[in-house]
Amino acid sequence: MRPHSLVPVAVLALVAGTADAGENSFGYSYTSDTLPKGQSEASVSLTHRWDKQLGSYNANDLVLGYETGLTDRLQADIYVVGMDIRSHDAFPLSTEGEEVYPLDIDTRKVAGYKGSLKYNFLSPYKDGIGLAFVWEAAYWRYFPKVDGARTEQYSFEPKLIVQKNFLDDTLIAVYNLATEFERRSFPEDGSSESEVSITHTAGLSYRVAPSWYAGLEARHHMDVLDGVKNHNDFFLGPTLTYGSERWYLSATWLRQLSGSKAYSAYEVDPAVYPTANSRYHLEEDVLNELRVKVGVNF
Amino acid sequence: MTFRMQWLLMPPAIIVAAPCCATVYLTVEQAQAQLMPGHTMTPVAVTLSTAQVAQIEKASGVRVREREVRAWRADSDAMFFVDRVIGKHDFITYALAINAAGAVTGLEILEYRETYGGQVRNPAWRAQFSGKRHGAALKLDADIRNLSGATLSCRHVTDGVKRLLATHAVIAAKR
């Protein structure tokens, strides 16, 4: 049995795949636009995650990003991801097939680094539909999603972005498909594993007034660990964006509506943890996420 | 839900540090002087009827979002319009001059507030509209060159000109 710190990081895909949408109409979803050549954007994204079944669990993912247009169609991005986790008797908070026990965690660290290239193939403004691809590579030293435990992970994540605009471009619909290939090792016991993470993200946002967009975002996430389906969950929530000439701010709240049965349901005594058979997946994920993102263009 | 409040200070700090603000390049009077120098301009009150809106939308293929038309007539019978189209965040305000024969004689961007795409102010790009009449294709990558990195602005300004030419045709037919 691994110690609690060896939490599977399948859910890192959520961070790696959606922390920095790079656009300002949504909090989690990418649009197909790229920055024009020579234009740049600096951004700060803060995602507050909270609520397990029991106890107190609060985490913040802080992402500092820099994005720049290499050409009018090719954009390069770099990100630094910081984590801040505080947990007291939170449950469930564990790894698959392993004993579950509540933990007290209080940690803040630089968790990892990411870089990506985004290429725009079609524009929704003149081609009828927007189409872009993102190729993202990441290196992680800690697990920001669960307990901040030590790891060594390398991942590669291609993303497909499809966008369709309606009503004179005032209604924006996007769909993202991200598949992350992860290879990680655990310094504590020298073991390693591979995982594939698949994330579908979709958003619908309407321009309710000049500079203001309001809409909905949804996210479905699934992990396949060493060839076996691991867990999946579905989030939905509102998104609001204010954008101006030089900066934008977006806020998105996602609530988990359903998730696969917790790993811990198989491991724990229901008399001790009566909510173990939750309809949510709360071991690697939480019930609620609130993301606030600010970007400055220059 | 507990939260470390200091985290919340970072986004506002970024906003405060950001440069701003909207740019007004030309007033209506300045645009009139540039596009129709030496002419006496008389405001024309135009409120489109439902039938006219339908006629314009059918002729141009562009949605009419505002029934009030800001128009002026010159002593030469040429017309001057001030119109706005949707940018990514705000409106793009522009002026269009159309001569008595129904051909565009000039286009000026009055206000532009978008992050990217300000290249539509480029004189060479705007000059493409000169001589265009109602019925012209006015389509990006066809008779109007797109500016890479400014596609949304190019598309909407082009659509706006197409709609105003159809509006002009309707107004002229009414006289």
Side-chain angles (χ1 to χ4, degrees):
Chain A
M1 178 184 75
R2 289 181 192 139
H4 76 272
S5 58
L6 299 182
V7 176
V9 287
V11 286
L12 273 176
L14 296 180
V15 174
T18 59
D20 340 280
E23 305 293 344
N24 56 8
S25 299
F26 300 96
Y28 288 75
S29 305
Y30 287 75
T31 62
S32 62
D33 292 342
T34 49
L35 292 171
K37 181 181 180 182
Q39 301 291 322
S40 298
E41 178 182 310
S43 63
V44 177
S45 169
L46 177 64
T47 305
H48 182 56
R49 299 179 286 109
W50 73 101
D51 273 357
K52 300 282 185 180
Q53 287 177 3
L54 296 173
S56 168
Y57 182 87
N58 287 276
N60 297 303
D61 304 323
L62 180 68
V63 182
L64 306 180
Y66 172 75
E67 305 164 6
T68 188
L70 301 178
T71 73
D72 285 335
R73 287 178 178 272
L74 180 64
Q75 173 182 315
D77 309 338
I78 54 172
Y79 303 101
V80 178
V81 183
M83 65 178 190
D84 168 28
I85 301 171
R86 283 154 298 126
S87 173
H88 179 67
D89 285 344
F91 174 84
L93 182 72
S94 71
T95 183
E96 182 183 22
E98 295 170 2
E99 189 173 332
V100 176
Y101 43 95
L103 300 167
D104 284 341
I105 302 166
D106 189 350
T107 183
R108 282 156 297 285
K109 286 185 172 65
V110 173
Y113 308 88
K114 300 190 294 179
S116 65
L117 290 172
K118 179 181 180 184
Y119 191 84
N120 171 265
F121 291 93
L122 295 173
S123 166
Y125 313 118
K126 71 181 183 71
D127 300 315
I129 193 166
L131 180 67
F133 278 94
V134 174
W135 295 267
E136 184 172 280
Y139 167 67
W140 299 94
R141 298 187 71 236
Y142 296 95
F143 301 154
K145 200 68 180 182
V146 185
D147 64 352
R150 183 78 173 89
T151 186
E152 289 283 338
Q153 176 176 309
Y154 297 89
S155 62
F156 173 67
E157 184 178 36
K159 298 187 184 81
L160 166 72
I161 301 164
V162 181
Q163 177 178 346
K164 178 68 179 174
N165 291 2
F166 305 92
L167 303 175
D168 296 338
D169 300 315
T170 56
L171 179 63
I172 302 170
V174 293
Y175 165 73
N176 297 177
L177 170 60
T179 305
E180 184 175 26
F181 303 91
E182 306 163 355
R183 181 69 183 172
R184 70 181 70 96
S185 61
F186 303 98
E188 204 162 324
D189 64 4
S191 65
S192 62
E193 63 189 17
S194 298
E195 190 161 49
V196 177
S197 169
I198 300 169
T199 305
H200 305 268
T201 312
L204 192 65
S205 191
Y206 181 68
R207 180 171 137 150
V208 293
S211 297
W212 288 93
Y213 282 85
L216 283 173
E217 285 197 71
R219 184 183 72 201
H220 179 266
H221 176 73
M222 183 180 78
D223 285 335
V224 179
L225 178 63
D226 288 332
V228 179
K229 184 178 175 183
N230 186 311
H231 77 265
N232 68 88
D233 44 47
F234 176 71
F235 286 76
L236 180 71
T239 185
L240 182 68
T241 298
Y242 175 82
S244 72
E245 186 177 5
R246 291 296 175 203
W247 63 272
Y248 66 85
L249 187 150
S250 68
T252 305
W253 171 46
L254 289 187
R255 167 83 180 186
Q256 189 178 153
L257 298 185
S258 66
S260 58
K261 191 176 181 182
Y263 314 137
S264 50
Y266 303 99
E267 305 294 327
V268 301
D269 182 353
V272 180
Y273 296 111
T275 57
N277 287 293
S278 166
R279 64 189 178 94
Y280 305 110
H281 179 85
L282 295 174
E283 292 179 308
E284 297 174 354
D285 267 322
V286 290
L287 265 181
N288 295 288
E289 293 187 12
L290 174 65
R291 174 168 296 173
V292 177
K293 183 177 179 183
V294 175
V296 177
N297 301 104
F298 54 94
Chain B
M1 172 180 171
T2 60
F3 199 82
R4 296 189 186 196
M5 298 304 291
Q6 62 267 35
W7 287 112
L8 292 175
L9 296 176
M10 192 165 287
I14 293 288
I15 294 172
V16 169
C20 69
C21 295
T23 305
V24 177
Y25 293 102
L26 289 173
T27 64
V28 171
E29 292 73 21
Q30 288 170 331
Q32 288 176 340
Q34 285 200 20
L35 294 177
M36 294 182 155
H39 288 281
T40 302
M41 309 296 291
T42 306
V44 181
V46 179
T47 301
L48 300 173
S49 66
T50 301
Q52 287 174 320
V53 167
Q55 192 178 349
I56 292 166
E57 289 183 341
K58 184 179 180 183
S60 65
V62 181
R63 185 178 170 198
V64 175
R65 302 181 66 89
E66 296 172 354
R67 290 177 176 239
E68 300 292 329
V69 179
R70 297 178 69 189
W72 288 257
R73 191 177 300 282
D75 46 14
S76 63
D77 227 16
M79 290 198 72
F80 176 91
F81 293 89
V82 171
D83 186 44
R84 60 182 193 173
V85 292
I86 289 175
K88 182 159 186 177
H89 300 297
D90 214 318
F91 289 103
I92 302 168
T93 306
Y94 67 102
L96 189 74
I98 301 174
N99 65 21
V104 172
T105 56
L107 168 70
E108 289 285 353
I109 304 296
L110 306 188
E111 296 177 26
Y112 192 90
R113 303 178 177 89
E114 302 305 310
T115 309
Y116 310 115
Q119 305 95 305
V120 291
R121 293 184 60 239
N122 183 302
W125 189 80
R126 290 184 288 110
Q128 297 177 100
F129 293 93
S130 294
K132 297 292 184 188
R133 297 169 183 270
H134 175 50
L138 288 170
K139 185 173 173 58
L140 285 188
D141 290 339
D143 60 340
I144 299 295
R145 179 171 48 89
N146 181 42
L147 295 171
S148 187
T151 305
L152 183 148
S153 298
C154 289
R155 227 288 305 290
H156 287 190
V157 170
T158 301
D159 283 352
V161 172
K162 195 171 186 179
R163 174 172 45 76
L164 280 185
L165 282 168
T167 303
H168 178 266
V170 167
I171 294 172
K174 188 183 173 187
R175 291 184 75 214

